[in-house]
Amino acid sequence: MKESHNLTPSVRLAALAALLALIGGCSGNSRPARTPVSGTVTYQGKPVDGATVTFAPMTEGAPTATAVTDSSGKYVLNTYEEGDGAVPGDYRVTFSKVVIEDKMAGKSVDEISEAYAAMKARGEAIPEPKTRHLIPDRYATSQTSTETANVKEGVENTFDFELTD
């Protein structure tokens, strides 16, 4: 027995348009507007190279923006794409720069993998890497950092941070 579909061409077209609109709405085009944010990070008066800068939103549900500083301490925030900035609003700003200080520091991924495989084969425990923070710990979390920023739409958002001990 053959099923009968009694939809008129105009109803089919309307259903197809609704489906395409629904699919289009899920494609990420509904991201909140961002505005460019940049600045410089110094510690004890010197630019910090390779620090992670995080703008943690104070508004629940807002996206986080991050960047890594260059050799002159400059950063440009990213939320969804390279250099797209941050959503306007209030942020707690954190900074982190950690180095690994153990016998694996400076080795390639392959060398580390081989060393760990050999340790595992001998039944040795793989040690936790020893790390050292190059910026005081108080700047590392949104609970302890006192640095803030208010990102505004339509203005230049440049935030320079001078970190101290």
Side-chain angles (χ1 to χ4, degrees):
M1 179 177 198
K2 185 177 178 185
E3 269 186 43
S4 174
H5 295 286
N6 293 329
L7 299 177
T8 65
S10 60
V11 171
R12 286 183 191 161
L13 185 58
L16 179 60
L19 179 62
L20 290 174
L22 179 63
I23 292 170
C26 296
S27 69
N29 294 335
S30 62
R31 291 178 176 167
R34 280 101 47 217
T35 188
V37 177
S38 62
T40 304
V41 178
T42 58
Y43 173 55
Q44 296 181 336
K46 297 178 185 168
V48 182
D49 180 18
T52 300
V53 179
T54 303
F55 276 50
M58 293 184 190
T59 304
E60 189 173 322
T64 298
T66 62
V68 175
T69 57
D70 66 13
S71 61
S72 62
K74 293 183 181 180
Y75 68 91
V76 176
L77 284 183
N78 313 297
T79 298
Y80 298 108
E81 300 162 4
E82 188 75 26
D84 68 345
V87 174
D90 292 318
Y91 292 86
R92 179 83 54 194
V93 185
T94 66
F95 309 87
S96 178
K97 183 171 181 181
V98 178
V99 293
I100 297 174
E101 292 187 327
D102 64 11
K103 62 184 180 182
M104 295 297 172
K107 297 191 184 270
S108 71
V109 172
D110 290 337
E111 291 171 318
I112 293 170
S113 295
E114 288 173 15
Y116 284 169
M119 292 171 79
K120 186 176 179 181
R122 293 189 300 265
E124 297 175 18
I126 296 174
E128 288 291 321
K130 294 178 184 170
T131 59
R132 181 171 56 100
H133 291 265
L134 299 179
I135 298 173
D137 288 348
R138 75 171 184 269
Y139 293 112
T141 70
S142 57
Q143 290 79 25
T144 58
S145 178
T146 57
E147 301 298 322
T148 60
N150 178 259
V151 176
K152 297 178 182 176
E153 189 173 354
V155 299
E156 185 174 325
N157 288 280
T158 302
F159 300 99
D160 295 329
F161 297 96
E162 297 180 20
L163 310 179
T164 60
D165 283 330

